[in-house]
């Protein structure tokens, strides 16, 4: 996102006197810092960043304490992913007086990630290539109750929810956290544990723990069975 773009962000709020309170949820501190720098200059953008969180438990604590109007939510988080944050925030989302609304902001443009968080209750999904101006605009629109999607991602949602032949929910996949799904796909594609650890910015031991959890939840014995399982669902 461009800093120059963010300076124009006040156009994102029709009411120049209005400020939207936002919480940033992302497990990469440098990304949170960058977003804060882009959108957090309240006098210009009319966005006030009132809290940050790096995992699911932190997110619930901060959201409960601050009750923001909008949460910028990464899909892949330690502790269960963005879907778990949404699940645990259901009461706050449903509050008729002060609803907390969620806008997914992720590097992922995978259809299953988009559909997963929208099913969970998010009001929109944009990728991290979005400009500062467009992100501010999206925040105001979500705060007003609109649905906002990056153009390419809107098709995933239309296909999933408007089509009569949309694929059913995969109960086996639903047992897995977002991070476990990431590890599953990389294992199925032949990545070594060290390569997965490097790509996901986690330790090899954490990768091993995720693989063990995936095998247990899916009732599989080894990575070869896991690869066949993923291939059968076209996840590779």
């Amino acid at each position: 996102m461009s800093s120059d773009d963010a300076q124009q962000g006040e156009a994102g709020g029709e009411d120049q006197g209005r400020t939207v309170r936002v919480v940033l949820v992302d497990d990469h501190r440098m990304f949170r810092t960058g977003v804060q720098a882009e959108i957090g200059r309240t006098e210009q953008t009319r966005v006030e960043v009132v809290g940050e969180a790096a995992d699911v438990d932190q997110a619930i604590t901060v959201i409960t304490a601050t009750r923001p109007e909008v949460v910028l939510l990464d899909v892949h988080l330690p502790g269960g992913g963005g879907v778990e944050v949404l699940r645990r925030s259901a009461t706050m989302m449903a509050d008729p007086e002060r609803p907390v609304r969620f806008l997914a902001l992720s590097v992922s443009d995978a259809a299953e990630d988009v559909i997963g968080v929208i099913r969970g209750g998010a009001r929109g999904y944009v990728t991290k290539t979005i400009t500062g101006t467009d992100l501010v605009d999206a925040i105001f629109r979500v705060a007003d109750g609109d649905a906002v999607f990056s153009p390419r991602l809107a098709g995933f949602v239309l296909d999933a929810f408007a089509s009569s032949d949309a694929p059913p929910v995969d109960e086996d996949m639903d047992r897995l956290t977002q991070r476990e799904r990431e590890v599953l796909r990389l294992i199925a594609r032949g990545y070594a544990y060290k390569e997965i650890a490097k790509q996901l910015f986690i330790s090899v031991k954490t990768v091993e723990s995720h693989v063990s959890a995936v095998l247990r939840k899916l009732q599989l014995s080894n990575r070869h069975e896991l690869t066949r399982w993923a291939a059968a669902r076209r996840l590779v």
Side-chain angles (χ1 to χ4, degrees):
M1 289 180 291
S2 164
S3 295
D4 292 338
D5 287 333
Q7 290 175 356
Q8 304 169 25
E10 61 182 2
E14 294 180 1
D15 180 358
Q16 296 300 312
R18 175 191 178 194
T19 297
V20 174
R21 301 168 68 253
V22 171
V23 164
L24 306 177
V25 181
D26 192 288
D27 61 342
H28 292 96
R29 181 181 58 81
M30 291 183 64
F31 180 77
R32 296 198 310 272
T33 300
V35 173
Q36 166 81 317
E38 294 280 359
I39 70 171
R41 290 169 292 176
T42 306
E43 291 184 0
Q44 295 170 325
T45 64
R46 311 308 303 172
V47 172
E48 181 186 4
V49 178
V50 297
E52 299 181 15
D55 59 34
V56 170
D57 287 341
Q58 287 180 15
I60 297 303
T61 298
V62 172
I63 294 167
T64 301
T66 61
R67 293 303 291 263
E69 288 144 285
V70 177
V71 177
L72 291 181
L73 179 68
D74 193 10
V75 175
H76 301 144
L77 292 168
V83 171
E84 179 65 12
V85 175
L86 292 164
R87 186 187 69 79
R88 292 168 61 178
S89 301
T91 301
M92 290 183 283
M93 285 191 285
D95 187 333
E97 299 295 328
R98 296 175 57 197
V100 176
R101 297 187 169 107
F102 287 80
L103 174 61
L105 176 62
S106 178
V107 69
S108 171
D109 62 359
E112 59 268 24
D113 287 338
V114 179
I115 294 167
V117 295
I118 299 305
R119 278 188 174 133
R123 295 294 304 173
Y125 195 117
V126 295
T127 61
K128 290 181 178 180
T129 58
I130 192 171
T131 66
T133 299
D134 287 344
L135 181 56
V136 169
D137 180 65
I139 288 169
F140 272 86
R141 288 172 61 192
V142 167
D144 289 336
D146 292 342
V148 181
F149 299 93
S150 295
R152 177 173 177 268
L153 307 183
F156 295 153
V157 179
L158 290 174
D159 289 344
F161 294 97
S163 174
S164 60
D165 60 354
V169 175
D170 189 325
E171 293 183 1
D172 288 332
M173 282 293 285
D174 280 353
R175 294 191 187 100
L176 306 181
T177 67
Q178 289 294 328
R179 182 64 88 187
E180 288 167 354
R181 295 182 192 188
E182 288 182 296
V183 171
L184 180 154
R185 291 188 184 93
L186 293 174
I187 285 288
R189 290 170 184 167
Y191 284 76
Y193 285 4
K194 287 184 179 179
E195 294 172 320
I196 296 172
K198 183 177 181 181
Q199 184 159 332
L200 299 181
F201 302 99
I202 57 180
S203 69
V204 173
K205 183 168 286 188
T206 300
V207 174
E208 293 173 349
S209 297
H210 285 315
V211 172
S212 295
V214 170
L215 293 175
R216 183 182 69 256
K217 290 179 180 181
L218 300 181
Q219 298 182 345
L220 301 174
S221 300
N222 53 57
R223 66 181 297 164
H224 299 296
E225 290 185 2
L226 187 153
T227 299
R228 289 196 296 270
W229 187 92
R233 285 161 174 78
R234 299 180 181 179
L235 300 175
V236 182

